[in-house]
Amino acid sequence: MIGTLQTLSWLFVVVSFGAIVPVVPTGAAVSSAAVLAMHTHPLTIVLVILVGAAGAYTGDLAMYAMCRAGGVQLAQRLRWLRDQDRLNAMKERLRGNQVPVLLVSRLLPGGRVPVLLAAAVLGLSWRTFVVANAPACLLWSVLYAGIGVAGGSIFPEPWQGVLAAIVGVLLITQAVNMVNRRRAARDGDASRAST
């Protein structure tokens, strides 16, 4: 029981920190914890989901506060914002559909920080952000725990399931990033052709 509590505590810390420092693989952490939970105490998968969501939510609140305080200048200094065009596109999406955009941004690799920054620059209210981000974090945690459970159910040893979950998360992330890069290149080519 104490080992489970320690693992859940570390999961919360890693996911919270990873929500602030986007290079930490938070999805892989939730997936790995779900694999370990499945092989030790399957009912603790629910706790993994809740703790992962709470860590993501806490980190997102801190990130949103930093974005509101520092704005675009802070994001550029910390290299959170690599593409001004992406920020402008997020601002346009947020103007029309604040809550759905916040929900979806949590699920897309690399989509969360530009949306949080755009929301902060647009002055999205704390109330709207707090309400919209809670289900987004829970959905995100369920998704990555599901990846972990799938990987853990295929392999008999926990370490094999953890490895499969991490590889699965990395492959999904790379595939989404590749699609986003191709879409951005196609949109860039289309905008250059129209001018």
Side-chain angles (χ1 to χ4, degrees):
M1 183 64 174
I2 291 180
T4 301
L5 291 176
Q6 288 175 336
T7 301
L8 291 173
S9 298
W10 275 109
L11 178 63
F12 179 82
V13 169
V14 166
V15 173
S16 296
F17 182 72
I20 298 167
V21 180
V23 296
V24 175
T26 56
V30 172
S31 294
S32 299
V35 169
L36 294 174
M38 191 183 98
H39 281 282
T40 55
H41 303 289
L43 292 178
T44 58
I45 293 172
V46 174
L47 293 176
V48 167
I49 290 169
L50 294 175
V51 169
Y57 189 72
T58 302
D60 282 359
L61 289 176
M63 175 68 93
Y64 189 64
M66 289 189 307
C67 287
R68 286 193 55 129
V72 174
Q73 295 82 12
L74 175 67
Q76 288 173 337
R77 198 170 311 127
L78 295 177
R79 298 184 188 223
W80 289 338
L81 180 62
R82 295 184 189 109
D83 186 3
Q84 186 67 32
D85 293 335
R86 190 171 182 186
L87 176 63
N88 292 336
M90 290 300 152
K91 283 182 187 178
E92 287 303 314
R93 288 186 192 140
L94 273 169
R95 280 193 180 100
N97 302 311
Q98 294 172 345
V99 175
V101 170
L102 286 170
L103 284 169
V104 172
S105 73
R106 190 64 162 101
L107 300 177
L108 296 176
R112 184 179 58 86
V113 174
V115 169
L116 290 179
L117 183 58
V121 170
L122 285 175
L124 184 70
S125 74
W126 271 100
R127 181 178 175 191
T128 302
F129 177 75
V130 167
V131 170
N133 198 46
C137 290
L138 183 60
L139 183 61
W140 170 85
S141 190
V142 166
L143 174 74
Y144 280 103
I147 292 170
V149 168
S153 66
I154 295 171
F155 299 100
E157 295 295 323
W159 70 267
Q160 294 169 329
V162 168
L163 183 62
I166 291 171
V167 169
V169 167
L170 292 175
L171 288 174
I172 291 168
T173 300
Q174 290 304 315
V176 169
N177 286 337
M178 188 173 68
V179 168
N180 286 339
R181 280 193 299 269
R182 285 186 179 182
R183 184 179 298 145
R186 187 179 59 231
D187 291 346
D189 290 344
S191 67
R192 281 191 293 273
S194 66
T195 55

